[in-house]
Amino acid sequence: MFEIVEREEMAQGTIISNWIKAPKIAQKAKPGQFVILRANEKGERIPLTMADTDPAKGLINVIYMVVGKSTALFKTLKVGDSYLDVIGPLGQPTHLEKVGKVVCVGGGTGIAVLHPITRGLKQMGNYVYSIIGARSKDLLILEDKMRKVSDELCVTTDDGTYGHKGFVTDVLDKILSENRDIGLAVCIGPVPMMKFCAKMTKEYGVKTLVSLNPIMLDGTGMCGCCRVQVGGKMQFACVDGPEFDGHEVDFEELNLRLRSYLPEEKLAYDRFKAAMGHTCACKS
Amino acid sequence: MSTENKAPEEVKAAKKEKIPRQKMPEQPPDVRRKNFEEVPYGYTPELAMKEAERCIQCKDPRCRQGCPVEIDIPGFIRFIKEGDFEGAIRKIWEKNSLPAVCGRVCPQEIQCEGLCILGKKDEPVAIGNLERFAADYQRLHGRDILPPKAAPTGKKVAVVGSGPAGLTVAGDLILKGHEVTIFEALHAPGGVLVYGIPEFRLPKEIVFHECNYLKRLGVKIELSQVIGRSETVDELLERFDAVFLGVGAGLPIFLKIPGEHYIGVYSANEYLTRSNLMKAYDFPNYDTPIVRGKKVATFGGGNVAMDAARTALRLGAEHSYIIYRRGREEMPARAAEIHHAEEEGVEFLLLTNPVRFLGNEEGFLTGVECLRMELGEPDASGRRRPVPIPGSEFTIEIDTAVIAIGSGANPLLTKSTPGLALNKWGYIIADPKTGKTMKPRVWAGGDIVTGAATVILAMGAGRLASNSIHDFLTYGW
């Protein structure tokens, strides 16, 4: 059992941060790696990239958005409650090195994944430009933490409620055109965002890492559920990734496969919401 | 059988009358193809005792030579014959910690039963059924007993992987007085017994019960520990005197044809793990979903393919095809498994090879294009090589595909373990007699050494390794 020792609701309760007691994982985990969580006996296995770790206290941090049954179920877990299973660290750690100038781009909950990588790149002595974006101000997370590990930070919102109005790619284009010596880009967020970022950095010839989020089952390379096409080769995101060269990834295919279980996901979520509603009605 | 009130000649005749091999009652095909419950119900005590009576108690039993873990077969059968079922399970436990599993999934026809002397003129004794009976009887009606354990040696052994090989090593070494800890990557122990073999062939409750039996003996089982990531083998060697690697051949092999990314195309590992381990067949009561296709094609001709095709029927498929590039004779699956699949309505498309998957714009699988094959000269495996017939392309409409053409060595553990020697397919090189690897204090056995094989072969490899580990811990060699 893996106890939640700290919990924060961000972005008006749609994004949740959990600090979970998992000493062995906290000892081993490196930026870019993920864990698989299962809330209870009937639960499914959900992959989440670690947003942070505190090895001294034996804690790991995951940040997730409530999008369906399992994440809604996770949201019901309060401080003192436990996940039944937390498995990890899984996946390859980010290869952190000094390249000079880097640009880190995060969208939505991707910012949570981006943060430890950005911090690692900063600690390596890189000059870090960061761009973080959200649909609107309410949904933006981790601005302060990102600011601390960046030399320059720019915020964008789709609706202009905060920072630059528009997409992260607008700012990315500006930074790339003004700084021809950028050696590496890291882009983490929704698939369309990563796709457009990678398309843009390719034009500038800047090597780009993306962190992929396909559907996973075991997370140890035994099923191939998370298979993605990278450079025309089948790769398993759970063991070969989750980070890949953004210029080589087939984003169209990833996007299609993410839609595998839309009807089932809707059914499960609707049932869950109805059951929660029912509980409330009984109590009243 | 009563012999009272009968003339002596009649008694003699009755004695001579051969008892036929006792059939196990089972669910009728049209009922069972709709549920995940176990197909055979098992012997009643009466049936078991009757079947046990058929054993002629050979002085030099050949059946025993056919058993990779050398169970004293006539010995335990004699106990069943006498109605001493506890005596029977104690006898089996001397050599085998997983009798409820082995009685169900061993290919007895090529092992113990294949060598039974009765099989020369008649049907062999149903050794597997009797082993299963003894284990089930113990589980359901037996007293809470355990076999005797040797005095503690203070030595510690780490077993990586809780499949048949690892469980056997753990069961052997704990009885010999060593401390044993199993590390399992998944959230449930059993390996292929829990994620691969379906409920209708091996109820998970039975696997958990046999794992529990090991726990009661004192084996520690640490779940969700991915050795290679959570901890390395070298780190285990700091804490343990010996390490056994029984991580299996869990790498899915794909067909490598166009369209394998379409939604509805599964590796057998994924399909069976969703259904068995995650209980997707009970979605939405369980949270893990699975595509419930109406027209499902399973590619391959082994036991895993049969398991997947039969699972598809139970998930509601109207058509469940086995697509296999060779002929029926060449299928590696057990005859009994093919027979069960056929009875339930699985359709066999033999001498057929897929060339590409077809899908719609939303990314869903809609069909598969295949070529007809004919059999040519025997290949390296000794089986006749399938050769495509030019121009014989045709399309089959399907919405789900399960690829069951074998599995390879998962590199996750081996890559993180320096000093292990691997062969060109990535399997660990180990001495076939002892299971010793090239790395000191590390043994390996089962599918990670041989490539995908059977449950009992993995257990046999586990037995050899545990003997060798025991020698090492006791005498230093």
Side-chain angles (χ1 to χ4, degrees):
Chain A
M1 299 290 275
F2 297 82
E3 191 189 337
I4 296 170
V5 297
E6 210 180 306
R7 180 180 181 280
E8 187 192 342
E9 294 199 2
M10 311 159 108
Q12 298 191 317
T14 62
I15 298 176
I16 314 293
S17 163
N18 281 162
W19 281 92
I20 304 166
K21 202 169 217 169
K24 277 181 86 173
I25 301 173
Q27 281 294 329
K28 286 275 168 180
K30 295 195 177 70
Q33 289 189 299
F34 67 94
V35 287
I36 281 188
L37 304 101
R38 196 167 68 121
N40 60 34
E41 203 50 53
K42 291 190 172 180
E44 58 180 337
R45 296 165 64 105
I46 298 287
L48 287 175
T49 305
M50 283 173 276
D52 210 345
T53 57
D54 186 339
K57 290 186 187 159
L59 302 180
I60 63 166
N61 180 220
V62 293
I63 295 178
Y64 59 88
M65 183 179 262
V66 177
V67 290
K69 152 94 196 251
S70 287
T71 41
L73 178 65
F74 286 5
K75 190 184 169 179
T76 65
L77 299 175
K78 307 295 182 203
V79 169
D81 292 342
S82 293
Y83 286 93
L84 179 59
D85 301 308
V86 179
I87 303 137
L90 299 170
Q92 303 288 342
T94 311
H95 178 67
L96 296 169
E97 60 176 340
K98 183 170 180 181
V99 294
K101 284 184 177 177
V102 299
V103 57
C104 296
V105 191
T109 48
I111 301 167
V113 180
L114 184 72
H115 171 253
I117 299 169
T118 310
R119 184 173 57 195
L121 287 168
K122 178 75 186 148
Q123 283 165 353
M124 287 277 161
N126 290 292
Y127 189 90
V128 179
Y129 296 94
S130 292
I131 310 162
I132 56 174
R135 280 208 306 279
S136 72
K137 187 185 177 191
D138 310 331
L139 296 172
L140 185 73
I141 59 166
L142 298 178
E143 184 190 352
D144 292 344
K145 278 184 123 177
M146 279 301 291
R147 196 175 295 282
K148 275 187 197 141
V149 297
S150 310
D151 292 282
E152 296 179 35
L153 176 86
C154 186
V155 178
T156 72
T157 49
D158 298 2
D159 60 3
T161 41
Y162 185 62
H164 169 86
K165 181 183 187 326
F167 299 120
V168 288
T169 37
D170 307 342
V171 183
L172 179 63
D173 194 24
K174 187 162 173 285
I175 291 174
L176 291 172
S177 61
E178 288 170 4
N179 301 274
R180 289 313 180 98
D181 53 348
I182 283 177
L184 177 71
V186 183
C187 307
I188 303 173
V191 175
M193 184 213 104
M194 292 194 284
K195 181 179 137 185
F196 288 117
C197 286
K199 201 174 161 204
M200 182 171 284
T201 56
K202 195 172 185 179
E203 284 166 23
Y204 287 96
V206 175
K207 185 184 159 188
T208 300
L209 286 180
V210 294
S211 181
L212 304 186
N213 57 337
I215 297 172
M216 284 187 191
L217 186 56
D218 63 285
T220 62
M222 64 165 263
C223 83
C225 172
C226 65
R227 62 192 185 272
V228 288
Q229 290 285 329
V230 182
K233 268 177 62 185
M234 185 190 287
Q235 301 269 291
F236 294 168
C238 71
V239 288
D240 302 316
E243 281 166 28
F244 293 102
D245 180 341
H247 299 157
E248 300 277 324
V249 170
D250 185 337
F251 289 106
E252 301 301 326
E253 188 180 304
L254 173 64
N255 219 11
L256 282 180
R257 284 187 59 78
L258 280 169
R259 303 167 64 82
S260 296
Y261 298 105
L262 288 187
E264 288 85 357
E265 284 166 10
K266 185 176 181 311
L267 172 71
Y269 199 12
D270 287 348
R271 261 176 57 116
F272 182 74
K273 284 189 283 197
M276 297 297 279
H278 179 72
T279 311
C280 295
C282 284
K283 276 180 188 162
S284 67
Chain B
M1 196 181 294
S2 170
T3 54
E4 281 168 289
N5 307 324
K6 279 179 185 167
E9 310 86 80
E10 277 177 320
V11 174
K12 220 174 176 183
K15 261 190 179 168
K16 263 190 182 170
E17 184 192 320
K18 261 196 293 186
I19 305 168
R21 181 172 158 120
Q22 299 300 299
K23 285 207 166 56
M24 218 182 240
E26 62 181 31
Q27 285 195 70
D30 54 327
V31 175
R32 70 185 196 234
R33 77 190 289 261
K34 301 252 176 0
N35 68 51
F36 276 85
E37 281 148 41
E38 195 173 14
V39 172
Y41 294 122
Y43 278 158
T44 58
E46 294 72 31
L47 281 173
M49 287 165 76
K50 199 166 177 193
E51 179 63 27
E53 210 156 306
R54 296 182 64 231
C55 173
I56 59 169
Q57 297 287 322
C58 303
K59 286 271 177 302
D60 182 17
R62 299 188 59 210
C63 54
R64 202 174 167 166
Q65 296 162 26
C67 173
V69 294
E70 300 170 315
I71 296 173
D72 178 358
I73 292 165
F76 93 77
I77 292 182
R78 191 165 56 236
F79 281 114
I80 293 182
K81 188 173 141 190
E82 290 161 0
D84 179 359
F85 306 139
E86 187 174 306
I89 195 68
R90 281 186 186 278
K91 187 48 87 184
I92 295 170
W93 277 344
E94 287 172 8
K95 294 289 182 180
N96 186 357
S97 311
L98 312 167
V101 170
C102 289
R104 285 172 167 82
V105 305
C106 278
Q108 287 98 6
E109 66 276 12
I110 57 165
Q111 294 172 342
C112 52
E113 293 180 21
L115 292 181
C116 172
I117 200 83
L118 287 193
K120 294 234 180 219
K121 286 188 177 158
D122 185 13
E123 286 190 279
V125 175
I127 300 165
N129 291 354
L130 289 172
E131 182 185 25
R132 169 188 162 148
F133 166 79
D136 288 355
Y137 192 88
Q138 176 61 27
R139 184 179 72 255
L140 299 169
H141 312 289
R143 286 190 305 143
D144 188 21
I145 52 162
L146 288 172
K149 262 168 76 170
T153 63
K155 302 285 185 182
K156 291 181 182 171
V157 182
V159 171
V160 184
S162 67
L167 293 176
T168 301
V169 170
D172 283 1
L173 293 176
I174 198 82
L175 288 181
K176 288 176 170 153
H178 310 297
E179 273 182 54
V180 183
T181 306
I182 297 179
F183 296 88
E184 166 55 46
L186 290 172
H187 59 256
V192 74
L193 306 176
V194 61
Y195 76 76
I197 302 176
E199 192 88 11
F200 54 83
R201 231 161 41 85
L202 178 62
K204 299 312 136 204
E205 183 203 324
I206 284 163
V207 181
F208 296 140
H209 190 271
E210 302 228 307
C211 292
N212 236 349
Y213 161 76
L214 291 181
K215 276 196 208 162
R216 291 200 298 133
L217 283 172
V219 173
K220 285 182 215 129
I221 304 183
E222 291 203 23
L223 300 173
S224 299
Q225 299 300 313
V226 187
I227 302 302
R229 295 259 200 256
S230 319
E231 203 167 356
T232 63
V233 173
D234 283 327
E235 284 165 327
L236 290 180
L237 285 168
E238 291 169 16
R239 297 198 280 136
F240 294 89
D241 298 293
V243 175
F244 174 78
L245 305 176
V247 295
L251 185 78
I253 294 178
F254 284 86
L255 286 161
K256 296 183 180 69
I257 59 174
E260 259 175 328
H261 64 281
Y262 286 126
I263 298 165
V265 180
Y266 288 104
S267 73
N269 273 3
E270 182 185 352
Y271 194 67
L272 292 172
T273 301
R274 282 184 184 273
S275 182
N276 297 330
L277 177 70
M278 306 309 297
K279 302 206 186 299
Y281 66 79
D282 197 11
F283 177 88
N285 288 323
Y286 281 76
D287 291 340
T288 304
I290 193 165
V291 172
R292 286 172 177 262
K294 291 292 168 210
K295 294 175 181 176
V296 183
T298 301
F299 299 87
N303 290 323
V304 175
M306 299 305 138
D307 285 346
R310 295 172 70 193
T311 295
L313 286 176
R314 286 159 173 80
L315 288 172
E318 284 154 14
H319 291 280
S320 176
Y321 307 106
I322 287 273
I323 298 184
Y324 184 54
R325 66 198 184 114
R326 301 180 200 249
R328 194 188 181 88
E329 296 302 304
E330 288 79 21
M331 284 215 253
R334 287 177 74 185
E337 299 306 323
I338 298 172
H339 178 65
H340 272 136
E342 225 163 25
E343 277 187 335
E344 289 168 12
V346 171
E347 298 157 62
F348 289 77
L349 301 174
L350 302 172
L351 290 166
T352 304
N353 202 31
V355 287
R356 67 188 172 109
F357 289 113
L358 310 167
N360 62 21
E361 278 167 18
E362 285 86 48
F364 285 87
L365 179 71
T366 57
V368 60
E369 189 182 301
C370 297
L371 268 176
R372 300 220 186 272
M373 313 291 278
E374 58 192 353
L375 290 178
E377 294 300 304
D379 63 10
S381 76
R383 294 179 298 179
R384 292 177 65 194
R385 183 195 300 275
V387 186
I389 303 172
S392 65
E393 288 89 348
F394 68 105
T395 298
I396 307 164
E397 208 179 286
I398 54 169
D399 51 18
T400 309
V402 183
I403 300 162
I405 56 167
S407 55
N410 188 331
L412 192 145
L413 177 130
T414 51
K415 260 189 179 170
S416 68
T417 311
L420 272 184
L422 308 180
N423 69 16
K424 66 174 170 176
W425 299 284
Y427 294 110
I428 298 173
I429 295 174
D431 183 326
K433 288 205 177 68
T434 62
K436 277 186 182 171
T437 68
M438 298 295 190
K439 193 176 173 74
R441 296 195 285 131
V442 178
W443 282 255
D447 287 3
I448 189 59
V449 172
T450 57
T454 62
V455 167
I456 191 68
L457 283 177
M459 292 180 60
R463 166 64 39 80
L464 292 175
S466 64
N467 287 341
S468 172
I469 293 170
H470 178 66
D471 284 346
F472 171 78
L473 296 177
T474 313
Y475 314 110
W477 42 265

